[in-house]
Amino acid sequence: GQNIDQPTEMTATEGAIVQINCTYQTSGFNGLFWYQQHAGEAPTFLSYNVLDGLEEKGRFSSFLSRSKGYSYLLLKELQMKDSASYLCAVRSTDSWGKLQFGAGTQVVVTP
Amino acid sequence: DAGVTQSPTHLIKTRGQQVTLRCSPKSGHDTVSWYQQALGQGPQFIFQYYEEEERQRGNFPDRFSGHQFPNYSSELNVNALLLGDSALYLCASSVMDREWGTEAFFGQGTRLTVV
C-alpha cells in the first residue's frame, strides 16, 4: 500500500516563500506529482519528479529524495492567487496511470 | 480545445437511487480515469478505461461501474447510492502510451450530493 503525508494547512504572507513537505511510503516508486487545486475547481498539474533532485519551473520548484521517501514543493514570491490546496501524489510501478494522492495542504496567503 | 468536460456540474440524488456521470476527454486523449474526492481529502482512484475496457480499479465496491465509448468518452455509474457517496467526482484524461501525469488533465468535476 501507499501512505502519503502532508501538512493540513500553511499560512504565509504575500511575497514570502512557503515549503510544503510530503512524505510517502510505496512499493515500486515510479514518480511523484504536485497538483494545485483551487476551491471548486479541477486539480492542475504543477510538477513531476522521478529522479532525485530539484526541478524548477518559474516561481515553483519541487524536490525529491527517493531514499528518504520525501518531496517538497517550494512556492516563491507568493501571490494572493496562490491560495489553494496543493496535492502530493505518487505513482507506483504496478499501477501505471493511477495516482495515490495525499489529503492536500491548504495554503493561505495573507496580505 | 475544450479540454476535459464533465456533466452535470452538480447533482442531488436520494439515497438508494442510481446516478450516471459523463466525461468527454481532451481532444487526442484515449484514456479516462475516474476519481472520487471527498471534502477536505485528496482524490481517490476509482478506475481507468482504455480501448473501451476497464484496465485498473481502485478499492471501490461493485456499485461503481463504468463504460467507455468508441469516441473515448466515458460514463461513471453508481447504484444504490449511500450518503457517503457524496463527493466531487473527477475525470482525468490522458494518452495511454505517454508519460501519465505530466500530460493528464482533470475536468472540473461533478459535485454529487446524496440526501
Side-chain angles (χ1 to χ4, degrees), chain A residues 30 33 35 37 40-45 48 50 87 91 94-104, chain B residues 33 35 37 40-45 48 56-58 88 90 96 98-102 104 106-108:
Chain A
N30 192 24
F33 303 78
Y35 283 83
Q37 186 177 27
E41 297 184 9
T44 54
F45 169 75
Y48 166 64
V50 66
L87 299 161
R91 183 178 66 196
D94 63 351
S95 62
W96 186 264
K98 166 188 171 183
L99 293 185
Q100 183 79 21
F101 283 86
Chain B
S33 303
Y35 287 80
Q37 187 175 24
Q41 299 297 317
Q44 299 294 312
F45 177 79
Q48 180 186 75
Q56 292 191 79
R57 189 179 183 91
L88 180 68
L90 294 164
M96 178 53 80
R98 293 189 196 164
E99 188 78 5
W100 202 99
T102 58
F106 282 87
Q108 293 280 74

Side-chain angles (χ1 to χ4, degrees), chain B residues 30-77:
Chain B
D30 57 11
T31 303
V32 172
S33 303
W34 286 93
Y35 287 80
Q36 180 195 66
Q37 187 175 24
L39 202 59
Q41 299 297 317
Q44 299 294 312
F45 177 79
I46 303 174
F47 43 52
Q48 180 186 75
Y49 276 84
Y50 171 67
E51 291 188 332
E52 302 179 47
E53 289 187 9
E54 183 183 291
R55 299 291 176 162
Q56 292 191 79
R57 189 179 183 91
N59 190 24
F60 278 80
D62 292 344
R63 298 187 298 109
F64 290 77
S65 64
H67 190 77
Q68 186 180 34
F69 299 93
N71 66 353
Y72 308 119
S73 67
S74 177
E75 288 183 349
L76 164 66
N77 301 294

Side-chain angles (χ1 to χ4, degrees), chain A residues 4 7 23 27 34 41 51 62 65-67 69-70 72 75 77 79 82 87 90 92 102-103 107-108 110:
Chain A
I4 300 170
T23 58
S27 52
W34 285 96
E41 297 184 9
L51 299 176
S62 58
S65 169
R66 289 172 296 171
S67 63
Y70 167 70
Y72 68 71
L75 285 62
E77 302 170 15
Q79 301 175 10
D82 296 329
L87 299 161
V90 171
S92 58
V107 170
V108 178
T110 60

Side-chain angles (χ1 to χ4, degrees), chain B residues 1 11 19-20 26-27 32-33 40 46 48-49 52 54 58 72 87 94 105 113-114:
Chain B
D1 185 356
L11 201 54
V19 69
T20 297
K26 181 179 169 63
S27 178
V32 172
S33 303
I46 303 174
Q48 180 186 75
Y49 276 84
E52 302 179 47
E54 183 183 291
Y72 308 119
S94 56
F105 295 85
T113 303
V114 182

